[in-house]
Amino acid sequence: MGQAVDTRSLPVLPFGAFTLRPFAGDQLMLVRVEAPAGAKTPPHAHPQEPMCPVSSGRLRFRIGDEERVLGPFEAIHIPSGMEHEAEALEAVVFYDIFHPVREDYLEWVAASDECA
């Protein structure tokens, strides 16, 4: 049987000004991401291949040398290993959908649970 959750109630992982709320299956991970206007991730890359649909607000993504501004109901695909960053142009809620699962996030959640 699968799982059902309210993504607003998932455990919080702070990442700078971003709030991450991960939810994982065996091979796929969904992360609810919330950020205030002006929040920006550092440039980074990872082996997972994310897709990022935006629920509310506007967000600028840089992938490699290209930039794209997304709003509600738009999504972007980030190739595995490609350097990217995101900046919230206004308060935003979007999702990172990762394949494969980000084991580092699962370890982060487990460590947070142990400290609670």
Side-chain angles (χ1 to χ4, degrees):
M1 176 120 197
Q3 301 176 55
V5 299
D6 179 336
T7 60
R8 297 169 296 183
S9 66
L10 291 166
V12 171
L13 298 177
F15 182 67
F18 289 78
T19 298
L20 310 179
R21 297 176 185 270
F23 177 60
D26 293 331
Q27 299 179 36
L28 192 64
M29 175 177 271
L30 175 76
V31 181
R32 179 186 172 104
V33 183
E34 304 161 21
K40 189 172 182 179
T41 66
H44 63 285
H46 39 73
Q48 293 83 5
E49 179 181 20
M51 288 199 179
C52 308
V54 177
S55 291
S56 64
R58 290 184 339 113
L59 190 66
R60 176 184 297 119
F61 279 96
R62 182 191 58 79
I63 302 171
D65 294 330
E66 296 183 28
E67 285 192 2
R68 181 77 185 260
V69 174
L70 300 177
F73 311 109
E74 296 181 305
I76 197 161
H77 167 255
I78 301 171
S80 174
M82 180 73 73
E83 184 181 89
H84 58 282
E85 61 187 324
E87 178 182 6
L89 301 176
E90 54 194 54
V92 66
V93 175
F94 68 100
Y95 291 85
D96 281 334
I97 303 168
F98 290 108
H99 182 269
V101 170
R102 288 201 56 163
E103 296 294 334
D104 56 336
Y105 282 13
L106 295 180
E107 291 168 6
W108 198 1
V109 169
S112 295
D113 288 346
E114 291 170 10
C115 294

